[in-house]
Amino acid sequence: PAAPATDTVDDEDMDPGLDDSYNTADLRPEYKACIDASDMVMPEVRECQEQEFAFQRRRMIAALDRIDAGPDSYFKDEIGNWQDVYLRYTDSNCTAVEERGPALEGMSCRINRYANRASALEGLADMADKAYAKGH
């Protein structure tokens, strides 16, 4: 997969009571270009969001797969446990955003959460790879 973008996308209408992982993420420049080209026509925006969500989901799964490929450990078990909690909170809070917010904000919420989780898991996978290489 391509490297994450350096652009940060902010969702101004998102719930300020939620932490920034719901509202802000480093997303691909292709996503911003797609949104800009959509002229904010909802079917086109939805397509842009679906593409970005699929990309971020693949990143997250690839990082989890790297961690899962390591030896059995408390670390790996805890990542799995916290992944379940992270996804449940994402689903619950982004569904709430969908129900009370503007159109497509729930998907924007999910994109941000998945992108942020993918970045965190990639960092943990890198850390685990180094530890496994050292035999720890």
Side-chain angles (χ1 to χ4, degrees), residues 77-115:
D77 291 343
E78 282 299 296
I79 296 295
N81 292 339
W82 282 108
Q83 181 67 13
D84 182 58
V85 170
Y86 190 91
L87 292 178
R88 277 189 282 137
Y89 275 102
T90 297
D91 187 49
S92 174
N93 288 314
C94 292
T95 297
V97 166
E98 272 172 0
E99 291 171 353
R100 70 175 186 279
L104 305 179
E105 287 300 318
M107 179 58 96
S108 184
C109 176
R110 285 179 176 82
I111 291 167
N112 289 330
R113 287 285 285 181
Y114 275 61

Side-chain angles (χ1 to χ4, degrees), residues 1-10 24-34 52 55-56 59 111-112 114-116 118-119 122:
T6 56
D7 288 343
T8 298
V9 176
D10 248 335
T24 306
D26 289 332
L27 304 175
R28 299 177 305 148
E30 295 90 342
Y31 176 63
K32 183 177 183 331
C34 185
E52 187 66 15
F55 176 83
Q56 298 302 337
R59 275 184 65 215
I111 291 167
N112 289 330
Y114 275 61
N116 287 316
S119 294
E122 287 166 347

